[in-house]
Amino acid sequence: MVKVGIIGASGYAGAELYRLLLNHPHVEIVAISSQSYEGKMISHLYPSFYGVFDMIFTNDQEVIEKADMIFASLPHGLSEKYAKQCDEQGKKFIDLGADFRLDQEKDYQQWYQHDYQYPQLHEKQVYGLSEVNREQIKQASIIGNPGCYPTSITLGLYPLLKNHMHKDEKIIIDSKSGTTGAGKSLTEDTHFPKCNESFHPYKIASHRHTPEIEQELSKMAHQAVHVMFTPHLLPVNRGIISTIYVPLKDNVDFDDVYDIYQKTYQDEYFVRVLPKGQVADLKFVQYSNFCDISLHYDERYHQLIVVSTIDNMVKGAAGQAIQNMNLMYDLDEKEGLMMIPASF
């Protein structure tokens, strides 16, 4: 059994972690921590766990002491010190925050206004996009779990960029997320009277996921890739849907593109390339670890339109983290993640 601990377990991603891990046959949750709720039972915060998982929130050090596999679900700038402790003790660490996603410290400084506390740790980090970096993840001890928007976007573009079927032009990305993506702390935009019956863009041309998206897409294409990324807030609890517009090379046929996507993901259980004519819908991935992709062709402009949708709390956070843990421990990737989305 893998002894698992969760630091920052009172947030939405933390709650998703233990909701999913409770169904994992090879995991024992040994400790969970919360600074705000230390000493209180989980059901005090999330009544759905009453009588099912009555663990009490403890402190961060007890989590590291008891667990061999530590998940951290914390705001940026807080995870490095725990990663250092885990590294010194030979324990595995998966960060659901932003501290281990970017390769270059200058990007982290620019977009998150923080320096690396322990630069040597970042030489060990692996970007945890499971379907793309599988072999590196298996050997890693520190994983930077991808952001929710980047997960939907990178999986949506990977086959196209890997096979160099796109023109070397800016890619336009229009993404929408449910309100859980903003976390539990309220902002002006996430108060119910503001976000209910509303739909609006935010952080236009300035969202912190932009350098992560460009970094990973550039790796896939083996050349610099630039994006125009605009996120929007949907008045729903969970889910992300990204609509991506990509000019195709003149000699590229849409049928060839579709075939490449099918071949790339044919053995990937959690990525579903939908039949031609169907449109990916966030409703049919909610509460699951699936990424649904539909492909569409604008004949007038010879452009590919990719629609990629995930549950931001599962494939975009806790589910992908567990998928990465499974890889690190040579377990079946699907363990603990076999939830089927509801149909209505």
Side-chain angles (χ1 to χ4, degrees):
M1 297 290 280
V2 181
K3 293 183 177 181
V4 165
I6 305 168
I7 295 174
S10 59
Y12 291 145
E16 281 294 277
L17 277 169
Y18 41 82
R19 179 179 76 86
L20 299 171
L21 288 169
L22 286 171
N23 293 304
H24 198 300
H26 302 293
V27 162
E28 177 188 3
I29 305 173
V30 294
I32 59 174
S33 71
S34 168
Q35 292 187 0
S36 301
Y37 295 92
E38 184 176 349
K40 297 184 183 297
M41 291 177 61
I42 288 172
S43 58
H44 172 86
L45 182 60
Y46 298 111
S48 59
F49 290 99
Y50 180 74
V52 177
F53 184 52
D54 293 322
M55 187 168 278
I56 293 172
F57 292 111
T58 185
N59 61 71
D60 302 335
Q61 293 307 313
E62 187 171 340
V63 172
I64 294 176
E65 178 184 331
K66 289 185 173 181
D68 297 317
M69 169 77 251
I70 290 89
F71 295 94
S73 182
L74 298 167
H76 66 272
L78 299 180
S79 292
E80 280 185 283
K81 62 181 179 181
Y82 300 115
K84 186 173 187 294
Q85 291 182 54
C86 291
D87 184 60
E88 291 172 346
Q89 297 178 37
K91 300 187 176 189
K92 298 182 188 298
F93 185 84
I94 296 179
D95 182 25
L96 278 75
D99 289 0
F100 293 95
R101 292 174 183 165
L102 296 176
D103 295 340
Q104 302 298 322
E105 183 176 9
K106 62 180 177 60
D107 292 330
Y108 188 65
Q109 292 166 335
Q110 177 183 348
W111 291 85
Y112 291 91
Q113 290 76 55
H114 277 269
D115 297 326
Y116 287 161
Q117 297 178 53
Y118 306 104
Q120 70 279 9
L121 280 181
H122 296 269
E123 298 174 7
K124 300 183 178 183
Q125 72 187 45
V126 171
Y127 188 75
L129 190 63
S130 308
E131 286 76 12
V132 176
N133 297 329
R134 181 173 284 111
E135 296 308 313
Q136 299 98 302
I137 293 166
K138 289 179 180 180
Q139 306 302 319
S141 59
I142 298 176
I143 297 291
N145 213 56
C148 49
Y149 283 126
T151 296
S152 70
I153 293 162
T154 53
L155 288 176
L157 287 173
Y158 175 54
L160 188 78
L161 270 58
K162 178 185 177 184
N163 291 280
H164 308 288
M165 305 175 87
H166 65 294
K167 281 187 176 179
D168 186 16
E169 299 177 12
K170 281 189 175 66
I171 296 173
I172 297 174
I173 304 167
D174 183 0
S175 295
K176 307 92 177 169
S177 174
T179 58
T180 50
K184 289 182 62 180
S185 299
L186 283 175
T187 66
E188 182 67 26
D189 283 345
T190 57
H191 275 279
F192 180 81
K194 177 71 179 291
C195 65
N196 182 50
E197 299 292 337
S198 177
F199 174 52
H200 66 274
Y202 66 100
K203 295 183 180 177
I204 300 171
S206 63
H207 196 281
R208 284 171 168 167
H209 283 172
T210 303
E212 181 183 346
I213 294 165
E214 292 188 335
Q215 168 186 285
E216 295 307 311
L217 295 182
S218 296
K219 290 179 186 176
M220 294 170 178
H222 298 289
Q223 65 184 60
V225 174
H226 303 287
V227 303
M228 295 180 66
F229 171 56
T230 304
H232 300 69
L233 188 68
L234 281 172
V236 299
N237 287 345
R238 55 169 71 212
I240 280 179
I241 187 162
S242 293
T243 308
I244 309 167
Y245 304 88
V246 193
L248 296 175
K249 287 183 176 177
D250 293 339
N251 62 343
V252 170
D253 182 83
F254 176 62
D255 289 334
D256 293 334
V257 172
Y258 186 82
D259 289 344
I260 286 292
Y261 272 77
Q262 290 278 24
K263 290 174 183 175
T264 301
Y265 289 130
Q266 64 184 353
D267 296 323
E268 299 293 348
Y269 179 77
F270 291 119
V271 181
R272 306 189 295 191
V273 180
L274 302 185
K276 292 179 183 178
Q278 291 192 19
V279 181
D281 186 323
L282 64 81
K283 186 173 187 64
F284 304 116
V285 296
Q286 286 178 328
Y287 297 96
S288 82
N289 200 52
F290 288 116
C291 172
D292 281 0
I293 296 171
S294 63
L295 302 176
H296 313 271
Y297 178 57
D298 188 329
E299 188 173 353
R300 292 185 305 157
Y301 300 108
H302 194 52
Q303 282 203 341
L304 181 70
I305 303 171
V306 181
V307 181
S308 176
T309 185
I310 62 171
D311 186 309
N312 59 303
M313 288 286 102
V314 187
K315 187 59 170 171
Q320 184 154 233
I322 293 169
Q323 189 177 353
N324 287 327
M325 179 200 71
N326 288 338
L327 287 169
M328 296 167 84
Y329 283 92
D330 198 27
L331 300 171
D332 187 327
E333 283 180 52
K334 299 189 292 294
E335 294 284 17
L337 298 171
M338 292 295 290
M339 309 76 59
I340 304 302
S343 297
F344 51 86

